[in-house]
Amino acid sequence: MKNAEKRQILVDRYIDFFHLAYIMLGNKEDAMDAVQEAVVSTLTRRGVRDVEAYCFQAVRFAAINILRRRSRLKSLEGLDVADDNRQEQLLTRLGELRDELPEAIRSLVVLHDEQDFSYQQLASLSGLSVSSVRRKIAEAHQQMKDQLEKDI
């Protein structure tokens, strides 16, 4: 399928993509961000046979990632994350703290938090037990939270 055909399908269904994202997120700006991310992903992905279905799925994944980010911010109890600038600062700092983790732990955290790998999948990949994977990720999350609290 040519890029022009892909673009036309995406333009024709843009409102539907937006409605899905808005229903999931309840926020116009976040919904627009999710759709933009999905459209870019769809246009740059080769070999997509059903552009419409692929983009709907990409919108869903983008919305879930936005919800996850919100959830992470809400889980930082006791920290002032009310305004958008503060949220962005905390997310940036969390990313820095994650990048400071040892390579093996960082890989587990990234695959779990951002790629939605289960503990079982991570255990299979790493050769660790499920309980070890769960413990290492929990310890890394606690370490990052503690450091964030110190920074504030």
Side-chain angles (χ1 to χ4, degrees):
M1 177 177 292
K2 296 179 183 177
N3 273 346
E5 293 170 334
K6 281 184 182 180
R7 282 190 189 101
Q8 189 58 50
I9 291 169
L10 296 173
V11 167
D12 291 345
R13 297 301 305 264
Y14 183 86
I15 296 297
D16 298 321
F17 300 140
F18 175 80
H19 284 299
L20 172 63
Y22 187 78
I23 287 168
M24 291 180 72
L25 298 167
N27 179 291
K28 180 181 174 183
E29 289 78 21
D30 286 345
M32 290 170 59
D33 288 344
V35 172
Q36 179 180 355
E37 184 178 324
V39 167
V40 169
S41 173
T42 303
L43 286 173
T44 57
R45 180 79 176 199
R46 292 179 181 225
V48 174
R49 293 183 184 177
D50 188 343
V51 172
E52 184 179 329
Y54 182 89
C55 194
F56 271 116
Q57 190 73 347
V59 167
R60 190 174 79 76
F61 286 133
I64 288 170
N65 284 334
I66 289 170
L67 290 171
R68 258 193 219 118
R69 273 183 255 142
R70 283 184 194 168
S71 172
R72 277 188 221 122
L73 285 173
K74 287 178 185 175
S75 71
L76 298 171
E77 295 175 21
L79 299 177
D80 177 21
V81 294
D83 69 67
D84 288 340
N85 287 336
R86 186 72 175 143
Q87 289 179 2
E88 287 302 316
Q89 289 172 348
L90 287 173
L91 284 174
T92 300
R93 183 63 181 134
L94 277 174
E96 292 168 355
L97 290 170
R98 184 199 61 221
D99 292 343
E100 292 171 5
L101 293 170
E103 175 76 30
I105 304 300
R106 181 175 60 242
S107 297
L108 291 173
V109 169
V110 168
L111 290 172
H112 181 266
D113 293 352
E114 297 178 16
Q115 302 297 321
D116 203 27
F117 276 60
S118 70
Y119 294 123
Q120 182 64 44
Q121 290 171 315
L122 292 171
S124 295
L125 287 171
S126 67
L128 299 169
S129 69
V130 174
S131 60
S132 291
V133 169
R134 184 177 285 126
R135 182 180 46 79
K136 288 179 182 294
I137 290 173
E139 287 172 355
H141 284 160
Q142 188 62 50
Q143 179 183 346
M144 291 187 298
K145 183 178 177 182
D146 291 346
Q147 186 59 49
L148 256 182
E149 288 172 344
K150 287 178 188 175
D151 293 348
I152 294 177

